[in-house]
C-alpha cells in the first residue's frame, strides 16, 4: 500500500496548477491538510468507479471501503489514506456522508450513461453533491446550507462532465454526444447546454458565501470555467477547454 505521506498536500488529486490545488491552497492552514485528504479520498473512490474493466471487482473495492469507513469511525482504519483522515479526527456523522459518496460511485457503475437531462442532473447531484454534503457535515452546517451544497456539488460535476465531453461522451445524455453537437449551429448548441446546466439553481450558486470554504472555492472555479466554455459556444465536442493556472489562482484567492 502507498505510504501515508503520499496523500499529503499537494497530492495526486491536487496537482500544482490545477483548480483543486488552488481550492485547497487557500483553505485555512488548520484545515488545509484535511481538505487535501478529503479531495484525494473522493478522487480515489471516483477512480474505482470510472470505466471499470470488471464492474464486479469495482463494487467489491467499494464494499471494502464501506468497511474501512466503519473502521475509521472506530479508530481502527488500515488504509494509509484512511489512517491520515483518522488522524484528522474524522468521525461520525461525517463518515456517514462518506458512505453516500461510495453509494453514488456504485450507482455510476450500474448506470454510467444518463438517458436524458433529468437523469444527468440527478447523477451529478448524487455524485459530487454527496461529497459537498460531506464538507457541510464537517462544518456542522444547517440543513439549508447542506441542500445548497448538494446542488453546488452537482453543478461542479456537471461542468466537469461538459468540459470533458470529448473524452467521456457517455457521461452526458446521448442527445449531447460529440456527433450530435457537431450537427448543431453555435446558437443551438448554446441553447441545448444552457438548458442542461440550467437544471441547477445558478442564481443561488452565485451567492456562494454560505458554502463551506472548500466547496465555495470549487464552485467559484466551476462557474468561471462555465463562463469560458459558454464564450466559446461550448466548443467541447472535440477539445478540452480549460483556464490557465494564474486564472485558477485568482478565482480561488478571491473566495479564500
Amino acid at each position: 500500500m502507498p505510504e501515508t505521506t503520499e496523500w499529503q498536500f499537494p497530492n495526486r488529486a491536487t496537482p500544482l496548477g490545477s483548480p483543486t490545488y488552488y481550492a485547497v491552497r487557500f483553505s485555512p492552514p488548520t484545515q488545509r491538510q484535511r481538505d487535501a485528504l478529503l479531495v484525494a479520498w473522493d478522487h480515489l473512490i471516483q477512480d474505482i468507479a470510472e470505466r471499470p474493466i470488471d464492474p464486479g471487482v469495482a463494487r467489491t473495492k467499494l464494499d471494502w471501503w464501506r468497511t474501512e469507513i466503519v473502521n475509521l469511525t472506530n479508530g481502527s482504519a488500515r488504509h494509509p489514506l484512511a489512517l491520515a483522515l483518522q488522524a484528522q479526527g474524522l468521525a461520525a456523522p461525517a463518515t456517514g456522508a462518506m458512505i453516500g459518496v461510495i453509494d453514488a460511485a456504485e450507482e455510476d457503475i450500474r448506470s454510467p450513461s444518463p438517458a436524458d437531462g433529468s437523469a444527468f442532473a440527478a447523477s451529478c447531484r448524487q455524485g459530487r453533491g454527496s461529497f459537498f454534503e460531506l464538507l457541510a457535515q464537517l462544518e456542522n452546517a444547517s440543513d439549508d446550507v447542506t441542500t445548497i451544497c448538494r446542488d453546488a456539488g452537482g453543478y461542479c460535476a456537471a461542468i466537469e462532465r461538459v468540459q470533458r465531453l470529448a473524452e467521456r461522451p457517455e457521461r452526458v445524455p446521448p442527445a449531447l454526444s460529440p456527433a450530435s453537437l457537431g450537427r448543431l449551429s453555435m446558437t443551438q448548441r448554446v441553447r441545448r447546454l444552457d438548458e442542461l446546466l440550467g437544471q441547477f439553481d445558478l442564481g443561488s450558486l452565485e451567492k456562494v458565501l454560505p458554502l463551506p470554504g472548500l466547496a465555495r472555492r470549487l464552485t467559484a472555479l466551476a462557474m468561471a470555467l462555465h463562463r469560458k466554455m459558454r464564450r466559446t459556444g461550448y466548443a467541447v465536442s472535440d477539445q478540452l477547454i480549460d483556464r490557465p493556472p494564474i486564472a485558477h489562482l485568482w478565482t480561488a484567492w478571491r473566495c479564500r
Side-chain angles (χ1 to χ4, degrees):
M1 282 188 176
E3 296 295 333
T4 305
T5 53
E6 178 183 355
W7 308 102
Q8 305 303 305
F9 179 72
N11 54 44
R12 69 179 71 174
T14 55
L16 289 170
S18 67
T20 50
Y21 170 81
Y22 291 111
V24 173
R25 176 65 183 81
F26 288 107
S27 293
T30 54
Q31 294 182 10
R32 188 174 300 137
Q33 188 55 45
R34 183 205 70 182
D35 287 351
L37 292 169
L38 288 170
V39 171
W41 178 79
D42 181 60
H43 188 263
L44 185 154
I45 296 300
Q46 304 317 312
D47 273 354
I48 293 173
E50 186 172 322
R51 291 179 174 173
I53 296 174
D54 186 329
V57 171
R59 287 194 292 271
T60 298
K61 290 180 179 178
L62 293 177
D63 281 339
W64 187 92
W65 267 106
R66 286 188 181 93
T67 301
E68 185 68 346
I69 296 307
V70 174
N71 293 338
L72 193 161
T73 304
N74 296 333
S76 57
R78 296 168 290 170
H79 191 281
L81 179 51
L83 285 168
L85 286 167
Q86 183 176 286
Q88 291 290 321
L90 228 65
T95 49
M98 295 176 80
I99 297 295
V101 174
I102 296 172
D103 290 345
E106 183 165 6
E107 184 59 32
D108 275 348
I109 294 173
R110 291 196 180 97
S111 304
S113 302
D116 53 29
S118 296
F120 172 86
S123 176
C124 290
R125 287 190 178 96
Q126 185 176 14
R128 188 61 58 83
S130 296
F131 178 65
F132 274 40
E133 282 188 3
L134 168 60
L135 300 178
Q137 290 280 359
L138 290 169
E139 300 294 325
N140 296 313
S142 67
D143 290 343
D144 288 344
V145 171
T146 300
T147 299
I148 295 172
C149 273
R150 188 172 185 84
D151 206 50
Y155 170 76
C156 290
I159 293 300
E160 182 179 2
R161 290 190 187 195
V162 171
Q163 180 197 24
R164 299 187 176 279
L165 187 147
E167 175 190 353
R168 298 289 308 279
E170 76 278 7
R171 302 290 283 157
V172 299
L176 296 174
S177 67
S180 299
L181 289 180
R183 291 191 291 268
L184 301 177
S185 68
M186 180 183 291
T187 300
Q188 291 172 322
R189 190 167 63 237
V190 169
R191 185 168 62 247
R192 287 280 189 90
L193 285 164
D194 276 353
E195 185 179 283
L196 181 74
L197 297 172
Q199 295 180 95
F200 303 92
D201 188 353
L202 300 183
S204 295
L205 295 180
E206 287 175 352
K207 303 171 184 178
V208 293
L209 289 178
L211 296 176
L214 179 58
R216 184 171 68 247
R217 288 184 291 278
L218 289 171
T219 302
L221 286 159
M223 295 187 82
L225 176 59
H226 184 182
R227 288 191 290 271
K228 180 170 183 177
M229 290 194 297
R230 195 176 190 279
R231 286 196 300 271
T232 71
Y234 294 109
V236 293
S237 60
D238 58 358
Q239 62 182 312
L240 177 69
I241 297 174
D242 206 348
R243 303 168 70 226
I246 189 66
H248 299 321
L249 184 155
W250 177 244
T251 301
W253 179 81
R254 292 179 65 188
C255 292
R256 67 194 189 283

